Each structure stands twice: as C-alpha cells, then as structure tokens.
Amino acid sequence: MKSLNFDNQFTAQMPADADTGSQRKQLKNALFARVNPTPVSAPTLIHYSEDAAQLLGLSAEECTSDEFLQVFAGNKQIAGMDAHATCYGGHQFGNWAGQLGDGRAINLGEVELGGTHLMLQLKGAGPTPFSRTADGLAVLRSSLREYLCSEAMYYLGVPTTRALSLITTGEDVVRDMLYDGNAAPEKGAVVCRLSSSFVRFGHFQMLAARQELALLKAFTDFVIQREFPALDNLAADAKGTYIAWFEEVCHRTADLMVHWMRVGFVHGVMNTDNMSIIGETIDYGPYGWLEGFDPNWTPNTTDAGQRRYRYGQQPAIGQWNLMQLANAILPLIEDSKPLEDALTAYVTRYEAGWQKTMTAKLGLRAYDKDLTDRLLTLLTVSETDMTLFFRALAGIAEDTPQPFTTLAHCYYTPELLSDADKAQIETWLADYLKAAKAQGQSDEDRAVLMNQTNPKYVLRNYLSQIAIDSAEAGDYSKVDELLNALKNPYDEQPEYEHLAEKRPEWARNKAGCSMLSCSS
Ligand code: AMP
Ligand code: MG
C-alpha cells in the first residue's frame, strides 16, 4: 500500500504517555499512549468497502492484497504509522464515569489526502491502557453491525465515521450476549474505521476533570485548527474563537439529531464518550432502526428501565451532552453566558431543522404544524412502520381510490385498527392532500421530494441479524446483498424489494433484532 502517505499531526503535536504497551493506567498530562494491535492467528478478509477505500486512494488490487489483510487485522504496521490509543472520559447514562478511553480502538495513523486527512482506526485489535477489565476485542456480530451501519448511514446522507474493512481474526472471543450467565465463544473480528477525527466530547471532559487546563487549551486549539480551520483566527481573541467553535459543535450536533430522527435511527448509547466533536455518528453498538413508529423505543436492553436514549429523547440528550462539553471548556472562556446562549440556539437550530425535514418528509413546500402534529400522533395509534409509511404516502394522490388500502401494508396489525382509527387516518389524508394543493405542490413534485427524503431501504434490525446469522455460519453473501441494496436507499430497486419489507413476526422479540445489550 505504497499510496498511503502518513502525517501524524495528533501524535506529533499532543503529549504522549511515557509508557508504551497495554498496561492499564490512568493518564496524566497526556492525551494518548502508544500501543500496538495484538497480532491474530488467521485473519480473513470478509468485506471491504470500495467507496471507503477510494477515499484513501486504495485500488481493488491493494485491498485484496495480503498486506492489506495483515495491516487491517493488526498484524503488521507500515512505514509512517504511529499506533496509539487515546484517553477520554465521559458521562455514561447520566453519571460521570471517569477515565474511559479507547479500550478497544487503536489508531494506526493519519493519512494525508491533499489538504484533508483520515485517521485509520482498528476496533477490536486488542487491549490498550484503557481496556479496564475488558479484553479489547470485538466479535463478528458487533463488528458486522458497525460495518454495515456506518456504510448504510453514509449512503443515507447522515454524517458518520466510515468503515473500510471487516476481518475475522481466526480467534474466539467469549461473550455473554444477553448478560444471563451464558457466556459462549464467538468469532473475533476487527473493523477498520475511518474519520477525519475520532475526538469525542469526553476528551475535553477528561482534561477538565484532571484540571489540566494548559493541555485542555492546547488540545482545543489543535482540534479547531485541524477540524474547524474556518474558525481558526476568525475571532479577534482566543475566547471568541472558542465560543464560535462551541456554537459550531452545537449546530452540527443539532443537524445530526435531525438526520437520526428523519431516518428513524436510534443510537442506543448516547454517552458523552460516544459524541463526536465533528458531529458524526460514532460507535455503533446497540443501535436500532424504528420499525413501528414509537418515540419511546430503544433497542438497548441495558437502558430498558430508564429509556434514557429512546428515539424521541435523542435531541434533548444531544443538548444535555453539549452542556457537559460546555462545562468542560468553561475554563477556556470564563463566561458561561455565551455557552448558555449556544445551548439555547441548539434548540432553535434543531427545531428549525426538524420542521424543514418534516416538511420534506411530507413533500410539502411549507411547514404545517397542525398536520405534522396530528400525523405524529396518528402514527402511534397502531404500530405503523415508519419507513414504509412515508414511502407509501408519497404514492397517494388526489385520485387514489380508497387511500387507506394503499397504506394497509404499513400496519403491523391492521386488523386491530378500529373504524374510528381508520376514519381519523382518512380525514388526515384528505387534509394532507388539501394542504399540498393549497401550497401549489403537485402530486409529482411532492412524491419526488418525499422519495429523496424518506429512504426505502434502511438497515432493518432483523435484516442485519439475518446477515449476522449467515455470516456466523460462514456465508457472507447476505452481507454483500444488503450493502448493495443500502447503497441506493432512496431508489426503487425491484431486485431488492424483499429488503424493504416490514419486520416479520418471528423477529419481534428476538435477541439481536429488537433487543441488544452493550455486550460486544
Ligand atoms: P461504549 O459505550 O461501548 O462505547 O464503551 C464504553 C467504554 O468501554 C469505552 O471506553 C470502550 O473503549 C470500552 N470498551 C467497550 N468494550 C470493550 C472491550 N471489549 N474491551 C475493552 N474496552 C471496551
Ligand atoms: Mg464508545
């Protein structure tokens, strides 16, 4: 892979821990520790993303070479790499958890790409100083979920870290998937992720918690210069720059929440250590996709009691997390007012974005609050598949006979809908079509806008589970098929119609489909 040119600015400019290796420790006055991936015995390339490889300028030949396999399994490093794990803390489920860090992620190095750069990061490549009591490894099941979802999100137009490769290690990893005392060996795997930056809110929080203010300032300056160059030196003074930067982080986070809500994505573990400073979706763990539209739904069984990270609460949690970031950087600004203002502006930004998205989801020209609010209530009356509903709605026109019949397949139990429910839906549909007409929106234009906004293909929970089950049995064809369909999520693809169907009943309460734990 001669084409990879490394320029490791983070490790060159930020302080490293004096020790190397995976000896567990609490860092002081350092942001990272050098540590190498643990070699694995029998790596096999399961999949690589051609599009992600293209970002790095890697050819198909390079991606299928033995060197690629060895490097992205963690067995070999190439010239210019500088393997390390970074230190961060975080609030987990609302409580400060102290030092966490890259417990099973190892950055290999930053690839320079003519003005931009991408960090290569292995996930599941063995212990680091931040692995605490765990092994630093990942299993095929969770690695496949990360791999599939990061690429699916990218194609949906949602900011996300990317996935370059999925490699099985040939080694077993023991996991207690349901935390029920039934630990079992599973296939180990390593994913290579790509992002301009894997910096999390928790990196800033950790430095603030250690009261290393000089380092907090140096790190913040580095992140701004690297990831927000437009803001660098924009303001007259450093404080002005930090404020402008925090405002930008609030904007990006608000926009990300709008995207998640638009496509029905539930992250599942929105701890502050899983919040990307550049506003990307990061750390695909027990995430899920809404099937029935239910604002209270979360796929994460670890959060089943509190449902802190449920679908409908994600935007509010985004703000809560930003507040923790604000607390961390307050010493740099010494004035809470501009930070509070930015947190207020987050709500305005989110609201405006959400209204714009709902307008587009309905194919309208202007936001109609009454229509939107009524619909969101109607969608919860009976279990309604969110993805199917918005696609089907695009096909309903003024002259559609019995429009409700066109929607019947979106309901999980249509037989349970009362006549009154149906009448309410019919009334809403009539009002909706009337509103579109009053706004001068033709049925055709409405459908075009809707189908650009409402995906037909999302990574339905049961579809990834089917792909996982066959992958664990050694058949990866389903992974390939799924990824191909998810590459064009807004297009009709008759050959993939079976991947756009609502959840079958067998998957309703099946582990991996609707229930996931943090165990991965
Ligand atoms: P998460 O909530 O999954 O993003 O992880 C929270 C923290 O636990 C992070 O610091 C992870 O690096 C760490 N972690 C999760 N799984 C493992 C593992 N298998 N080995 C070591 N550290 C882990
Ligand atoms: Mg994490």
Side-chain angles (χ1 to χ4, degrees), residues 22-73:
S22 64
Q23 180 73 36
R24 312 298 195 266
K25 72 182 288 190
Q26 299 279 318
L27 258 54
K28 264 201 179 126
N29 295 310
L31 265 158
F32 68 95
R34 290 196 164 83
V35 57
N36 291 322
T38 304
V40 299
S41 57
T44 307
L45 178 66
I46 303 308
H47 216 276
Y48 76 93
S49 162
E50 284 170 23
D51 290 340
Q54 217 165 52
L55 295 173
L56 297 167
L58 290 178
S59 65
E61 202 185 341
E62 284 174 296
C63 293
T64 47
S65 67
D66 185 59
E67 187 178 48
F68 182 96
L69 177 66
Q70 300 304 335
V71 167
F72 295 111

Side-chain angles (χ1 to χ4, degrees), residues 88 92 100-104 130-132 134-137 175 269 271 273-274 283:
Y88 54 79
Q92 296 186 313
L100 298 166
D102 292 325
R104 55 162 169 179
F130 314 108
S131 298
R132 297 179 285 162
D135 54 13
L137 303 174
R175 286 291 181 269
V269 204
N271 292 334
D273 53 300
N274 289 336
D283 277 9

